[in-house]
Amino acid sequence: LKCAGGKYGLIDEICQRLPEGNKLIEPFVGAGSVFLNTDFPQYILNDINPDLINLYNIVKSQSEYFIQEAEKLFCAANNQPLRFYELRKEFNQSNDVFYKSLLFLYLNRHGYNGLCRYNLSGGFNVPFGKYKAPYFPKNELYYFAEKSQKAMFTCESFQNSFARARKGNVIY
């Protein structure tokens, strides 16, 4: 995922400072850069955004079907402002978790600067990003799906994530 304020640029420094442990707990997983670039036996990955956590759980459990369906959204016809705003409206009106996850990935890659922003009514409101050809992260999704088999994704307060920690766990 594209993510404003993501940790990817700092990943080497972060990894050098993480101690060894039997589980990494990330109360603020975001785009998952630390998760994807470390090798702990287990992970608890949390974020307060249910759309993000639903996406992660679906990629974990239905990766092949999800990737096939998501790739269909990455076409020239969908890289137009009018179509972007139609799909954004569908995202905001849908209660179908799988479909919303497809659209969440689409909106992330086609929206402005990797932002994830909601209005006071809970509607996703990031504008169109005007990219020539948004990249479909197929290989990255397969990698995420494989690695996520070692992870549990939660959508709860960071305090609850901290409360899950046990001796031998690392919190980042």
Side-chain angles (χ1 to χ4, degrees):
L1 294 175
K2 293 184 341 184
C3 184
K7 302 170 200 116
Y8 183 74
L10 300 170
I11 200 64
D12 290 336
E13 283 188 47
I14 293 169
C15 288
Q16 289 174 10
R17 288 170 171 74
L18 287 175
E20 290 185 19
N22 57 19
K23 184 183 295 177
L24 178 67
I25 300 173
E26 285 195 69
F28 311 99
V29 70
S33 293
V34 175
F35 160 61
L36 292 169
N37 290 282
T38 56
D39 191 27
F40 285 83
Q42 294 180 312
Y43 296 85
I44 296 176
L45 306 172
N46 182 72
D47 203 279
I48 199 68
N49 184 335
D51 295 319
L52 179 66
I53 296 303
N54 287 336
L55 167 66
Y56 289 166
N57 277 317
I58 286 173
V59 172
K60 177 182 178 178
S61 65
Q62 301 176 58
S63 56
E64 193 65 43
Y65 182 59
F66 177 85
I67 292 167
Q68 288 173 5
E69 293 301 304
E71 192 167 22
K72 295 174 187 175
L73 291 169
F74 286 71
C75 63
N78 286 341
N79 193 28
Q80 305 295 324
L82 181 61
R83 185 64 179 143
F84 174 86
Y85 292 114
E86 288 171 352
L87 290 171
R88 187 179 77 176
K89 183 177 180 180
E90 287 182 27
F91 173 84
N92 286 328
Q93 293 175 345
S94 179
N95 291 318
D96 181 317
V97 174
F98 185 86
Y99 185 58
K100 281 191 78 160
S101 294
L102 292 170
L103 292 176
F104 189 76
L105 176 63
Y106 164 85
L107 292 169
N108 171 264
R109 304 299 301 179
H110 290 78
Y112 181 76
N113 211 24
L115 295 176
C116 182
R117 182 181 70 198
Y118 299 84
N119 61 28
L120 291 176
S121 301
F124 189 89
N125 67 355
V126 174
F128 181 61
K130 300 178 186 173
Y131 300 106
K132 285 185 179 184
Y135 173 70
F136 178 66
K138 186 174 190 172
N139 292 333
E140 292 86 343
L141 285 165
Y142 279 118
Y143 179 73
F144 185 94
E146 181 181 329
K147 184 143 188 183
S148 69
Q149 299 310 306
K150 296 172 20 174
M152 178 176 76
F153 298 99
T154 59
C155 185
E156 60 189 11
S157 71
F158 71 89
Q159 294 95 333
N160 287 352
S161 292
F162 276 97
R164 293 176 180 273
R166 301 293 178 262
K167 185 175 182 170
N169 296 170
V170 174
I171 299 175
Y172 176 78

